[in-house]
Amino acid sequence: MRDLKIPEQRHPEKARRPDNPQPKKPDWIRVKAPGGKGYAETRKIMRDNNLTTVCEEAGCPNVGECWSQGHATMMIMGEVCTRACTFCNIATGKPPEALDAFEPGRVAHAVEKLGLNHVVITSVDRDDVTDGGADHFAQTIRAIRHRSPGTTIEILTPDFIRCDPSVLEVVVEARPDVFNHNLETVPGLYPEVRPGARYFHSLRLLQRVKELDPTMFTKSGIMVGLGEDRQAVMQVMEDMRAADIDFLTIGQYLQPTPKHHRVDRFVHPDEFAAYEKAAYGKGFLMVSATPLTRSSYHAGDDFARLRAARLAKFG
């Protein structure tokens, strides 16, 4: 039995990689350690419902702030991912279990218990499942709608690259409010950073969502500090807008362990502000670009602003 708390067992494919130094974080990235009553209550609800969160599994720096406010991004389909992206701290390998048919109901119960106005549901990659977990996403969306009809739902999906293209329709037909799939980095870094994925496949996935349902909000994000340059980031923005993506997130890459991809540099907040200005100039409805930005950070507030931006633009 693997112990996923041990790095060598959590990331067996990285165990033989040489160590990369982990540079000291600048002042603008440091956050408070998690704690407090709200944090404890959120943690208890997750444990009582046997749920996994990407907040913990990916080592998100914002977990203390979000959980203290009763916000958590739930990660479905287990805690072992079939991919081995070099930036990610989620455990990798062959998932030990099939998909849990009762999980959508437990997620819906937790959403109701937390009283969420907006929820983000993400997952590991499950390349071992025929549809990549598309139907599991759809069942989770429907279960939340049944228990909490007033809650808006944002999903952050895998790329379904090994599945029949029709599986995307299953997810879109379940009518999430926001369909998010992260490009993660610039195309030139994919072979090293995201070897199991393909940049233009991910881009096309988001474009197809808009073709299937033009009213659905689409969202994607990248990390900076992996070795990209400004020109490459600007080209990703152009590619996203060509795919009619509404919402862009840009955050600083933080290296989870010495075995993960190195931090090339810490991008200054002024550069993030410049990226945000450029992105709005290219036509995104919503942009979040700060060192601590993550896909689901302040997602509820951002969704309200996203809807307002569309209303202001199109009426």
Side-chain angles (χ1 to χ4, degrees), residues 68-173:
S68 67
Q69 297 171 9
H71 300 160
T73 298
M74 298 178 206
M75 190 172 78
I76 59 176
M77 303 197 291
E79 56 184 342
V80 178
C81 184
T82 53
R83 304 285 175 89
C85 298
T86 61
F87 66 86
C88 186
N89 199 37
I90 292 172
T92 55
K94 182 179 179 181
E97 69 284 306
L99 298 184
D100 180 355
F102 298 101
E103 184 175 54
R106 294 201 308 275
V107 170
H109 176 75
V111 170
E112 183 182 37
K113 188 81 173 174
L114 287 165
L116 299 182
N117 293 319
H118 185 82
V119 63
V120 182
I121 306 296
T122 189
S123 77
V124 292
D125 279 279
R126 290 296 299 258
D127 294 319
D128 59 317
V129 178
T130 304
D131 72 348
D135 186 61
H136 202 75
F137 262 101
Q139 289 184 38
T140 303
I141 293 166
R142 288 193 290 267
I144 295 169
R145 293 270 187 242
H146 177 70
R147 295 288 292 260
S148 304
T151 300
T152 50
I153 302 171
E154 180 173 329
I155 57 170
L156 173 54
T157 75
D159 58 13
F160 304 117
I161 197 169
R162 301 183 187 180
C163 309
D164 187 281
S166 64
V167 305
L168 184 62
E169 299 172 21
V170 173
V171 183
V172 174
E173 286 172 1

Side-chain angles (χ1 to χ4, degrees), residues 194-223:
R194 207 174 172 220
R198 299 294 179 269
Y199 176 79
F200 287 104
H201 172 87
S202 287
L203 199 62
R204 176 62 182 146
L205 182 87
L206 289 156
Q207 186 178 41
R208 284 189 60 223
V209 171
K210 266 291 201 278
E211 291 170 357
L212 291 166
D213 185 347
T215 68
M216 190 169 290
F217 288 109
T218 51
K219 177 178 176 180
S220 189
I222 62 169
M223 298 168 288

Side-chain angles (χ1 to χ4, degrees), residues 265-288:
R265 70 189 183 101
F266 290 107
V267 178
H268 192 273
D270 290 348
E271 290 186 61
F272 281 100
Y275 280 139
E276 180 178 304
K277 183 178 180 180
Y280 275 121
K282 293 180 185 298
F284 287 96
L285 287 178
M286 180 73 194
V287 182
S288 178

Side-chain angles (χ1 to χ4, degrees), residues 285 309-315:
L285 287 178
R310 174 183 281 178
L311 189 64
K313 184 173 182 179
F314 300 110

